[in-house]
Amino acid sequence: MSRQANRGTESKKMSSELFTLTYGALVTQLCKDYENDEDVNKQLDKMGYNIGVRLIEDFLARSNVGRCHDFRETADVIAKVAFKMYLGITPSITNWSPAGDEFSLILENNPLVDFVELPDNHSSLIYSNLLCGVLRGALEMVQMAVDVKFVQDTLKGDGVTEIRMRFIKRIEDNLPAGEE
Amino acid sequence: FVALFLLLHNEMVTGVYKSQEQGEVENGRCITKLENMGFRVGQGLIERFTKDTARFKDELDIMKFIYKDFWTTVFKKQIDNLRTNHQGIYVLQGNKFRLLTQMSSGKQYLDHAPKYLAFTCGLIRGGLSNLGIKSIVTAEVSAMPTCKFQVIIQTM
């Protein structure tokens, strides 16, 4: 029995490393293809968006979560279910705006950046920008327009990684804007 | 994590192709890019995976490791078939290969299949390389989603 358990955790570790290494190879390649960090950030966001749009289906199928009634519920589901399911971490939710339309996700550790160091000439690179795109794309598919951005980043020397999410509006129409 | 990886991989393939122009030469370059990325990832993975395992007895031992443990862990499924001519050529066959199952099985998609296999070829090549084996890895799809990876060991 213990052998099975060992295989399990080892396999999970390898899957996460496969993802982290692949992501790293992707960012490295993008830095080579694009001249400046801003363009790389945009690409990561776009790719993240495309992934998010498809990931949401997988998420809804696997998690059995019902429709969220408000942004607070959404925040909970993102942090406690989605992040746990896909990245194995549970960020904490803080810094709610008084209007209840903005909050922060605090990640003590970000699996994407395991073993990663930012070289000096890439100081404006938002390494994990893919995550912003993923969140944006996924939420758009459930009729929520949001703005997502990194506010703090451990790669840049901050103590934690902080993602700020802002609710813009509910999308009434079924056609997502800017589909590519 | 696996779900994320599959989606990321799909995006990477699409992304690499978008940033290049059409044409035979460009197609080759894209495949090389993807293969190289896979190579680097394969090297890194094997390094971490074999930190604690004992050294391998011989080449066949290594191939078996790739075909059993490495493969299962990465793709969650044992490779269906491993054949060798005992002279440095190994063929790994995978039915229902995960990276391909996301695409429809139809003749018109066969042309695109190589793009989705390039990364994995590099992955295998990178893994072997870090175990001290130089190789050439190619992939072939005759019918989706079955595919064959051919590993040719290059002796010094």
Side-chain angles (χ1 to χ4, degrees):
Chain A
M1 273 314 269
S2 74
R3 185 132 192 254
Q4 283 283 42
N6 227 357
R7 273 275 163 84
T9 34
E10 200 174 85
S11 154
K12 192 150 184 236
K13 197 165 144 252
M14 173 151 287
S15 300
S16 92
E17 288 186 350
L18 174 64
F19 180 70
T20 312
L21 285 171
T22 305
Y23 187 70
L26 171 69
V27 179
T28 311
Q29 186 66 44
L30 286 178
C31 287
K32 284 204 194 122
D33 290 341
Y34 293 93
E35 307 245 310
N36 62 62
D37 291 346
E38 259 318 298
D39 285 340
V40 178
N41 292 339
K42 280 205 200 101
Q43 262 307 100
L44 286 174
D45 183 76
K46 205 155 75 154
M47 291 177 106
Y49 178 85
N50 291 341
I51 292 178
V53 161
R54 293 193 199 106
L55 194 70
I56 186 77
E57 275 175 42
D58 181 79
F59 176 70
L60 291 174
R62 296 212 298 197
S63 67
N64 262 331
V65 164
R67 188 164 272 286
C68 288
H69 294 104
D70 58 28
F71 205 42
R72 271 182 197 269
E73 238 185 283
T74 310
D76 269 345
V77 170
I78 293 176
K80 300 189 185 133
V81 190
F83 263 87
K84 185 110 208 302
M85 188 185 281
Y86 293 109
L87 291 174
I89 53 170
T90 311
S92 40
I93 303 173
T94 63
N95 282 351
W96 276 100
S97 63
D101 61 348
E102 254 188 79
F103 67 91
S104 289
L105 285 165
I106 309 277
L107 289 75
E108 304 271 315
N109 69 312
N110 178 359
L112 287 180
V113 309
D114 280 345
F115 308 109
V116 172
E117 258 176 40
L118 271 189
D120 291 325
N121 56 335
H122 286 290
S123 51
S124 30
L125 178 69
I126 308 175
Y127 185 82
S128 312
N129 212 29
L130 192 95
L131 284 182
C132 293
V134 173
L135 287 166
R136 200 165 55 84
L139 287 174
E140 194 170 297
M141 289 297 108
V142 289
Q143 268 71 54
M144 273 186 255
V146 294
D147 181 59
V148 189
K149 57 166 158 281
F150 276 86
V151 175
Q152 287 192 78
D153 195 345
T154 46
L155 271 188
K156 303 214 175 126
D158 297 317
V160 293
T161 300
E162 182 181 347
I163 302 177
R164 191 99 185 124
M165 293 193 62
R166 183 170 64 89
F167 179 77
I168 301 176
K169 64 172 193 220
R170 197 153 273 277
I171 304 173
E172 295 307 338
D173 217 52
N174 264 332
L175 293 170
E179 182 158 89
E180 197 159 298
Chain B
F1 270 113
V2 180
L4 270 182
F5 170 70
L6 292 176
L7 286 171
L8 181 66
H9 178 262
N10 263 8
E11 257 322 290
M12 279 164 65
V13 176
T14 322
V16 164
Y17 275 80
K18 268 213 193 118
S19 63
Q20 305 281 125
E21 321 236 320
Q22 304 292 358
E24 274 305 306
V25 177
E26 292 305 329
N27 192 35
R29 261 196 226 141
C30 291
I31 302 246
T32 310
K33 252 195 210 175
L34 288 163
E35 214 260 356
N36 280 340
M37 284 200 261
F39 183 79
R40 279 205 294 273
V41 177
Q43 282 187 310
L45 265 185
I46 275 283
E47 200 181 295
R48 298 228 249 281
F49 203 21
T50 54
K51 251 194 328 207
D52 311 311
T53 6
R55 292 283 299 275
F56 301 97
K57 285 200 314 260
D58 58 23
E59 188 179 283
L60 187 59
D61 225 25
I62 296 184
M63 285 312 294
K64 280 200 191 142
F65 171 76
I66 298 272
Y67 133 72
K68 277 218 185 95
D69 301 286
F70 189 53
W71 197 272
T72 316
T73 316
V74 171
F75 297 107
K76 296 263 162 306
K77 188 180 180 299
Q78 274 217 319
I79 197 127
D80 295 283
N81 207 306
L82 169 71
R83 292 206 300 275
T84 176
N85 65 355
H86 291 287
Q87 278 173 6
I89 300 191
Y90 299 84
V91 179
L92 299 89
Q93 176 163 315
N95 303 328
K96 289 214 171 70
F97 187 55
R98 289 201 82 165
L99 291 177
L100 291 179
T101 50
Q102 309 230 296
M103 298 166 67
S104 325
S105 344
K107 276 263 127 104
Q108 69 267 43
Y109 291 101
L110 272 187
D111 285 338
H112 296 283
K115 304 178 193 170
Y116 290 87
L117 300 171
F119 183 84
T120 311
C121 288
L123 198 71
I124 301 174
R125 191 167 66 88
L128 287 172
S129 150
N130 244 27
L131 290 172
I133 298 184
K134 211 161 163 238
S135 61
I136 298 180
V137 184
T138 53
E140 180 190 302
V141 178
S142 39
M144 301 267 263
T146 307
C147 68
K148 287 203 188 104
F149 289 93
Q150 179 169 272
V151 181
I152 304 176
I153 311 284
Q154 306 196 280
T155 35
M156 290 306 171

